[in-house]
């Protein structure tokens, strides 16, 4: 049975809102179960995420990571590859950015920032290339290879940070702080210089880059010949071959571009917020990107919205466990998990009923 | 007394009374009444979209009618799902088989059988198999994995499955679409035997030949309504065709072609399968400008490999291919397209279109490199849309909505879209595989006419088809393939069913020996 066609505002607006409401309903039960007031908890969560400019700043800062990580899954997905390797690709992206910043400590920002951007993208893309090449030539399963490459990335980076890149005379496995010329400008001081006061947050210029990247992915996939070929190959390999499309090429292209986008997580984290390379800096964003992409239906607009939701949950959840000590970090994770479960996996929960009404 | 009751004095096995069904704006069945006499084979014929499948699915409990009722042996019945229909003795063999391919025949038979224990289910399935093997010569190895069986045997498993569930009324939906002529003949023999046992068969098809060959009565549907029920014996294909499309079908123009120079020259082309078997053996042929060369043969005798190797989709194991004098043996599909090869593939859903994309995007497939559809970076989407809209008008593709998903067009309209895309490139050479498979009569006529027009405009056309009538009607020369080789060449006048049949069966029949 094929899915009936729903009006766009129902498919992309009403249906997600209904599932979100159901998710919050289920979360309320979890909060009730630990003896807390769901209303108070959920309003603390919402207030933490969007209640003041600092909260909004943090929400958008987290959302930036989710946008890059989500796009990193979605773009290869359209080409028929399930990229689970965002985490490792982001990690390597960080290495690329850090190497540029460490190599050019005295260079000015207009040189080091573009180079670091390119390096982050290139290292992420390079890390995706091997699984992509294996799939294109040996038909290896990318789910397996990209997962393995996450593990390899994590081992490689641990080695490099502990033995090679570690700041001299320090015990924590992290690099020295970069020269300030390599810091991606943050929004709070930027607006302050224009006379607009907002609360402090690590939100930086990678957020507009994430918006541009979303637009770029949309443009590539739906407006160019290369995007057409990627989507054609993803939907029907036989027809793609018939149409003169090289499957090897679309596979490698889409996975490497995805890897590059994952590498851009480093833009936000390494260049925008931490200003040094930390052990384990991708912090699960790469994996969360899978859920973001699924929830956003692999469309850049959907991914952007899903990333905002994830960012808000992340920020609000941190605030919640801080303000209400009984709501432990684990319960916050449960709430986040429920939202992801409902919005990602149970997205067709209300579909039948909506189809009956609108289709 | 209703007008249909005169067909038989017995209570009919099935009676549809005033069945009406709508899907949104589409009125799929309009007040349909007809009866199936017990122990008869009843044909249900009509063009794609005439409402045949809807009616069959209503009988099988997949769909429930908006109005009207179904009577089985005179009793009004209402099925809300296929299980209830099966319990009432109705079985259905779908066009796309509903078998678990990784299971064995036996496992498929006991699937959903409802016995209390696995042992009991197995025993009863084996008993059925043994009985059918004895009564109807329906031998199937119970331990064979379905995926390894040829299509004809898979269909047989479907039928056995229905009989195992005690089907007295058997619905077959386009059963011969996937069969070779010999397999189809085997199916017909079986259906006659089932009829002799007193079972009732509803044969849903759009092929007049089958209707004439095997049915006792035939009901013609057009645009969801019954336009006539006749006794097959007293009817003719011409009469039925006219009922189906509402006018007399016009025979394709057959004027002699005036071939020009050679466009395609193939020497000793060879294709070897993954398992080392030779699938195409030293094929040599040429196609001239303004000529249609037809390749006749039973499906699976190397025709697909020939098309694939010529289109650049299969790497040949040897031989030489030249287009307009240029050696293209080493060029890939994209490069060959660039040199003027068009290709209407044998299986449009698998190769020729992207079901989930819009008609516009399917219209771009294989032509996405053409400069006229590209700006330096972006596709010229407006122009693509305009072009496909133009095709929809010129090729009468319905509904003329280029934004609609390719999959949601009927088979005939999908095929016309593929034809438009490949023909409107004005190819020097057009490779055509099974151009009218699963296509209704109106679209068949249209596609045949377009192929002839393209020929008259000077294109070289290589036509592969398992429909001998189609080969004869269109070809200027006929090549016959058997066992991966080209085994003979005939003119359309020489190509009697018998001569072709002998050649196709791999017999040594000298071309022309029979032409008197």
């Amino acid at each position: 049975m094929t899915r009936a066609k729903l009006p766009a505002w129902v498919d992309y607006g009403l249906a997600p809102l209904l599932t979100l409401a159901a998710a919050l309903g289920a979360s309320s039960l979890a909060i009730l179960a630990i003896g807390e007031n769901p209303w108070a908890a959920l309003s603390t969560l919402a207030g933490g995420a969007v209640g003041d400019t600092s909260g909004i700043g943090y929400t958008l800062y987290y959302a930036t990571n989710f946008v890059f990580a989500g796009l990193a899954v979605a773009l290869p997905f359209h080409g028929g590859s399930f990229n689970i390797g965002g985490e490792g690709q982001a990690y390597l992206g960080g290495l690329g950015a850090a190497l540029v910043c460490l190599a050019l400590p005295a260079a000015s920002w207009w040189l080091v920032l573009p180079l670091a951007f390119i390096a982050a993208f290139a290292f992420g893309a390079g890390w995706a290339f091997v699984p992509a090449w294996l799939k294109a030539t040996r038909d290896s399963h990318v789910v397996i290879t990209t997962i393995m490459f996450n593990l390899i990335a994590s081992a490689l980076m641990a080695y490099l940070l502990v033995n090679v890149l570690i700041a001299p005379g320090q015990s924590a496995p992290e690099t020295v702080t970069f020269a300030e010329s390599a810091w991606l400008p943050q929004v709070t001081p930027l607006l302050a210089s224009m006379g607009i006061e907002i609360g402090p947050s690590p939100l930086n210029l990678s957020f507009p880059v994430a918006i541009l990247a979303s637009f770029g992915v949309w443009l590539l996939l739906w407006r160019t010949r290369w995007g057409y070929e990627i989507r054609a190959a993803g939907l029907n390999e036989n027809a793609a071959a018939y149409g003169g499309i090289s499957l090897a090429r679309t596979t490698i292209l889409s996975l490497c571009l995805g890897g590059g986008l994952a590498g851009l997580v480093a833009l936000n984290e390494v260049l925008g917020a931490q200003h040094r390379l930390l052990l384990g800096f991708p912090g699960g964003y790469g994996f969360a990107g899978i859920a973001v992409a699924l929830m956003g239906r692999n469309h850049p607009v959907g991914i952007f919205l899903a990333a905002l939701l994830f960012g808000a949950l992340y920020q609000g959840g941190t605030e919640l466990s801080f303000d209400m000590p009984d709501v432990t970090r684990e319960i916050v994770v449960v709430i986040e998990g429920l939202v992801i479960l409902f919005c990602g996996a149970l997205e067709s929960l209300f579909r039948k009923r909506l189809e009956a009404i609108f289709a | 007394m209703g007008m249909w009751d005169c067909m038989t004095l017995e209570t009919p096995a099935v009676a549809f009374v005033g069945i009406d069904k709508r899907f949104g704006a589409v009125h799929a069945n309009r007040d349909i009444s007809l009866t199936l006499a017990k122990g008869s084979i009843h044909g249900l014929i009509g063009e794609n979209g005439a409402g045949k499948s809807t009616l069959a699915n209503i009988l099988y409990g997949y769909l429930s009618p908006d109005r009207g009722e179904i009577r089985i042996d005179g009793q009004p019945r209402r099925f809300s799902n296929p299980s209830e229909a099966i319990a009432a003795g109705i079985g259905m063999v779908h066009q796309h088989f509903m078998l678990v391919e990784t299971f064995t025949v036996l496992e498929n038979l006991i699937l959903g059988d409802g016995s209390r224990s696995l042992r009991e289910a197995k025993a009863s399935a084996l008993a059925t198999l043994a009985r059918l093997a004895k009564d109807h010569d329906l031998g199937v190895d119970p331990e064979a994995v379905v995926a390894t069986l040829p299509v004809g045997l898979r269909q047989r498993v479907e039928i056995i499955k229905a009989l195992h569930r005690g089907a007295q009324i058997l619905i077959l939906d386009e059963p011969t679409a996937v069969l070779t002529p010999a397999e189809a003949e085997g199916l017909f023999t079986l259906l006659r035997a089932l009829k002799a046992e007193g079972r009732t068969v509803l044969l849903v098809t759009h092929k007049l030949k089958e209707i004439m060959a095997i049915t006792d009565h035939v009901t013609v549907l057009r645009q969801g309504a019954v336009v006539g029920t006749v006794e097959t014996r007293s009817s003719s294909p011409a009469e039925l065709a006219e009922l189906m499309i509402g006018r007399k079908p016009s025979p394709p123009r057959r004027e002699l072609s005036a071939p020009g120079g050679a466009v395609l020259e193939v020497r000793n082309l060879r294709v070897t399968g993954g398992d080392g078997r030779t699938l195409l053996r030293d094929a040599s042929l040429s196609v001239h400008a303004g000529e249609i060369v037809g390749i006749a043969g039973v499906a699976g005798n190397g025709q697909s490999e020939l098309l694939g190797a010529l289109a650049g989709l299969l790497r040949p194991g040897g031989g030489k291919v030249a287009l307009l004098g240029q050696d293209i043996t080493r060029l890939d599909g994209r490069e060959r397209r660039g040199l003027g090869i068009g290709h209407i593939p044998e299986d449009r859903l698998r190769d020729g279109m992207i079901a989930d994309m819009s008609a516009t995007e399917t219209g771009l497939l294989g032509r996405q490199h053409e400069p006229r559809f590209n700006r330096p970076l972006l596709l010229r989407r407006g122009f693509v849309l305009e072009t496909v809209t133009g095709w929809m008008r010129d090729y009468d593709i319905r509904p003329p909505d280029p934004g609609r998903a390719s999959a949601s067009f009927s088979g005939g309209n999908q095929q016309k879209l593929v034809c438009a895309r490949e023909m409107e490139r004005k190819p020097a050479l057009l490779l055509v595989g099974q151009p009218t498979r699963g296509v209704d009569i109106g679209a068949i006529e249209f596609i045949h006419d377009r192929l002839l027009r393209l020929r008259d405009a000077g294109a070289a056309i290589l036509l592969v088809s398992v429909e001998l009538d189609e080969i004869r009607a269109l070809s200027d020369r006929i090549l016959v393939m058997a066992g991966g080789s080209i085994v003979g060449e005939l003119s359309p006048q020489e190509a009697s069913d018998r001569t072709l049949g002998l050649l196709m069966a791999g017999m040594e029949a000298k071309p022309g020996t029979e032409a008197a």
Side-chain angles (χ1 to χ4, degrees):
Chain A
M1 288 279 128
T2 51
R3 303 168 71 146
K5 186 108 177 126
L6 289 176
W9 69 271
V10 177
D11 209 5
Y12 296 104
L14 187 58
L17 280 181
L18 279 175
T19 38
L20 182 61
L24 294 179
S27 305
S28 302
L29 295 178
I31 298 167
L32 266 181
I34 59 162
E36 282 288 340
N37 178 351
W39 178 251
L42 291 179
S43 38
T44 308
L45 190 146
V50 294
D52 56 38
T53 51
S54 175
I56 293 175
Y58 267 98
T59 292
L60 295 182
Y61 156 70
Y62 291 127
T64 307
N65 288 336
F66 291 122
V67 169
F68 286 131
L71 293 175
V73 176
L75 204 164
F77 189 86
H78 282 285
S81 307
F82 203 177
N83 179 20
I84 313 283
E87 192 79 1
Q89 291 146 11
Y91 217 163
L92 265 287
L95 177 66
L99 288 179
V100 168
C101 297
L102 296 171
L104 304 170
S108 46
W109 63 267
W110 54 262
L111 179 66
V112 71
L113 285 180
L115 279 182
F117 174 89
I118 292 169
F121 193 92
F123 273 57
W127 202 245
F129 175 77
V130 184
W133 180 79
L134 285 171
K135 178 176 183 200
T137 59
R138 304 282 149 130
D139 207 18
S140 308
H141 206 299
V142 280
V143 170
I144 308 291
T145 49
T146 51
I147 286 179
M148 292 304 152
F149 264 68
N150 286 336
L151 301 177
I152 300 172
S154 140
L156 175 71
M157 294 298 287
Y159 169 78
L160 288 177
L161 280 170
V162 171
N163 298 294
V164 183
L165 296 172
I166 192 165
Q170 195 186 305
S171 59
E174 53 190 60
T175 65
V176 293
T177 302
F178 306 146
E180 277 201 42
S181 61
W183 295 14
L184 206 54
Q186 294 194 338
V187 169
T188 308
L190 216 59
L191 288 182
S193 71
M194 290 185 252
I196 306 168
E197 293 297 330
I198 60 166
S201 77
L203 180 66
N204 57 74
L205 289 189
S206 25
F207 181 66
V209 174
I211 296 177
L212 285 178
S214 306
F215 179 70
V217 168
W218 173 81
L219 202 67
L220 172 78
L221 282 176
W222 282 281
R223 288 294 179 269
T224 71
R225 166 155 59 83
W226 302 281
Y228 173 78
E229 296 195 337
I230 287 173
R231 286 183 298 123
L235 288 169
N236 184 344
E237 289 191 3
N238 288 314
Y242 157 86
I245 296 167
S246 155
L247 287 175
R249 229 186 58 154
T250 54
T251 300
I252 292 177
L253 180 68
S254 62
L255 268 168
C256 287
L257 286 177
L261 286 163
L264 294 187
V265 168
L267 211 60
N268 190 36
E269 283 293 312
V270 178
L271 298 179
Q274 323 279 9
H275 309 130
R276 63 210 145 102
L277 192 59
L278 297 165
L279 189 71
F281 87 85
Y285 292 116
F287 290 119
I290 300 164
V292 173
L294 283 176
M295 194 170 162
R297 309 270 172 80
N298 289 300
H299 190 285
V301 173
I303 287 170
F304 188 78
L305 296 176
L308 287 181
L309 176 65
F310 272 65
L313 279 173
Y314 209 83
Q315 163 58 13
T318 311
E319 203 77 1
L320 174 60
S321 55
F322 188 73
D323 278 8
M324 300 175 75
D326 282 348
V327 182
T328 57
R329 187 67 218 164
E330 284 68 32
I331 289 296
V332 173
V333 173
V334 167
I335 296 173
E336 290 173 1
L338 282 169
V339 172
I340 297 171
L341 178 71
F342 273 84
C343 300
L346 303 178
E347 49 120 2
S348 10
L349 200 59
F350 299 101
R351 197 162 173 99
K352 275 244 160 78
R353 219 151 286 176
L354 287 175
E355 276 174 7
I357 301 172
F358 295 103
Chain B
M1 191 176 241
M3 65 186 289
W4 308 110
D5 295 1
C6 57
M7 282 185 357
T8 170
L9 294 174
E10 258 186 276
T11 313
V14 179
F16 295 93
V17 186
I19 297 288
D20 213 88
K21 178 77 183 171
R22 279 174 188 277
F23 299 101
V26 180
H27 204 162
N29 282 173
R30 301 166 194 259
D31 192 25
I32 289 184
S33 295
L34 68 101
T35 57
L36 314 185
K38 198 166 284 176
S40 76
I41 300 179
H42 195 109
L44 188 60
I45 193 165
E47 295 200 274
N48 286 335
K52 310 183 295 276
S53 294
T54 302
L55 193 65
N57 281 325
I58 285 174
L59 177 57
Y60 194 53
Y62 262 129
L63 300 170
S64 38
D66 297 338
R67 271 188 287 123
E69 71 175 20
I70 289 175
R71 293 184 197 144
I72 307 294
D73 293 325
Q75 300 299 312
R77 301 294 300 259
R78 209 171 178 85
F79 306 129
S80 49
N81 57 52
S83 310
E84 294 178 20
I86 291 170
I90 296 168
M92 182 159 179
V93 176
H94 296 83
Q95 190 177 356
H96 303 286
F97 303 147
M98 304 281 175
L99 296 171
V100 183
E101 298 206 345
T102 50
F103 276 14
T104 63
V105 171
L106 187 61
E107 284 167 335
N108 267 292
L109 284 185
I110 63 181
L111 190 64
D113 141 304
S115 295
R116 269 194 307 276
S117 77
L118 198 57
R119 183 207 286 266
E120 194 179 309
K122 269 191 181 167
S124 99
L126 283 171
T128 303
L129 277 171
R131 182 172 57 78
L132 291 173
K134 190 163 67 71
D135 295 356
H136 299 304
D137 199 19
L138 274 183
V140 183
D141 174 10
E143 296 305 327
V145 173
V146 167
T148 65
L149 297 177
V151 174
L153 274 184
R154 288 189 207 188
Q155 185 177 61
R156 190 179 284 188
V157 175
E158 281 274 31
I159 294 173
I160 293 174
K161 195 169 150 183
L163 297 177
H164 180 51
R165 303 278 164 75
Q168 287 301 317
I169 298 155
L170 198 59
I171 311 165
L172 294 135
D173 190 7
E174 304 282 359
T176 61
V178 291
L179 300 186
T180 64
E183 284 174 331
E185 204 40 62
L187 173 68
F188 292 164
T189 311
L190 170 63
L191 293 184
R192 288 192 196 99
L194 293 178
K195 170 179 137 181
E197 284 185 346
R199 294 183 216 259
T200 309
V201 175
L202 179 63
L203 179 68
V204 180
T205 183
H206 62 260
K207 289 192 182 165
L208 289 168
K209 247 185 173 172
E210 293 172 22
I211 292 289
M212 299 311 294
I214 189 163
T215 62
D216 301 305
H217 303 279
V218 53
T219 297
V220 183
L221 294 185
R222 190 167 75 228
Q223 286 168 359
V226 174
V227 289
T229 295
V230 294
E231 205 175 350
T232 312
R233 246 182 317 178
S234 58
S235 182
S236 70
E239 183 195 358
L240 291 175
E242 200 179 330
L243 278 173
M244 265 169 80
I245 58 179
R247 62 185 164 79
K248 282 202 194 319
S250 47
R253 292 175 299 136
R254 272 242 31 112
E255 290 140 31
L256 275 182
S257 70
V263 173
L264 174 75
E265 283 175 286
V266 182
R267 290 287 159 261
N268 299 323
L269 192 63
R270 174 179 279 273
V271 173
T272 310
D275 53 359
R277 267 190 323 140
T278 304
L279 302 171
L280 182 65
R281 198 184 307 276
D282 297 329
S284 297
L285 62 107
S286 63
V287 186
H288 295 252
E291 180 187 44
I292 297 181
V293 173
I295 307 266
V298 177
N301 275 276
Q303 303 99 313
S304 307
E305 288 72 20
L306 177 64
L307 281 181
L310 293 179
L313 302 174
L314 285 178
R315 191 175 286 277
K320 203 176 148 229
V321 182
L323 184 74
L324 293 165
Q326 184 187 350
D327 186 348
I328 60 166
T329 315
R330 308 204 152 274
L331 301 190
D332 65 24
R334 183 182 154 191
E335 293 162 326
R336 292 187 192 200
R337 284 180 164 271
L339 290 174
I341 295 185
H343 181 193
I344 297 169
E346 291 182 292
D347 187 335
R348 61 178 165 272
L349 276 173
R350 193 191 66 191
D351 296 322
M353 42 188 279
I354 294 169
D356 294 330
M357 283 189 171
S358 66
T360 311
E361 292 198 303
T362 277
L364 191 61
L365 185 66
R367 303 188 61 178
Q368 71 275 15
H369 297 290
E370 290 179 23
R372 58 205 227 108
F373 293 127
N374 283 278
R375 281 193 204 94
L377 280 175
L378 304 184
L379 282 169
R380 295 181 61 194
R381 287 171 46 90
F383 181 64
V384 177
L385 181 68
E386 204 178 291
T387 308
V388 175
T389 310
W391 295 344
M392 294 192 136
R393 192 182 53 235
D394 297 346
Y395 286 73
D396 190 26
I397 297 169
R398 281 183 247 179
D401 173 6
R404 198 177 154 99
S406 312
S408 65
F409 288 86
S410 72
N413 285 303
Q414 290 173 351
Q415 188 69 356
K416 283 200 220 168
L417 177 62
V418 173
C419 285
R421 182 185 71 207
E422 299 303 315
M423 290 176 172
E424 291 305 312
R425 317 173 58 206
K426 310 281 179 238
L429 170 69
L430 184 63
L431 305 171
V432 185
Q434 319 296 352
T436 54
R437 178 182 276 171
V439 164
D440 54 81
I441 292 188
I444 290 176
E445 264 181 46
F446 186 91
I447 291 168
H448 284 178
D449 180 58
R450 286 291 169 145
L451 283 169
L452 288 170
R453 272 207 238 172
L454 196 67
R455 178 200 69 174
D456 293 344
I461 299 177
L462 185 69
L463 168 71
V464 168
S465 175
V466 293
E467 304 284 346
L468 297 184
D469 292 340
E470 179 165 82
I471 292 278
R472 260 193 299 258
L474 296 175
S475 309
D476 299 299
R477 281 191 293 137
I478 298 174
L479 303 176
V480 183
M481 288 191 76
S485 305
I486 296 176
V487 294
E489 174 170 344
L490 305 163
S491 70
Q493 292 76 31
E494 295 171 320
S496 67
D497 267 353
R498 188 180 142 72
T499 318
L500 278 175
L502 283 173
L503 282 168
M504 283 162 60
M507 308 286 175
E508 286 290 323
K510 280 277 175 285
T513 47
E514 211 203 22

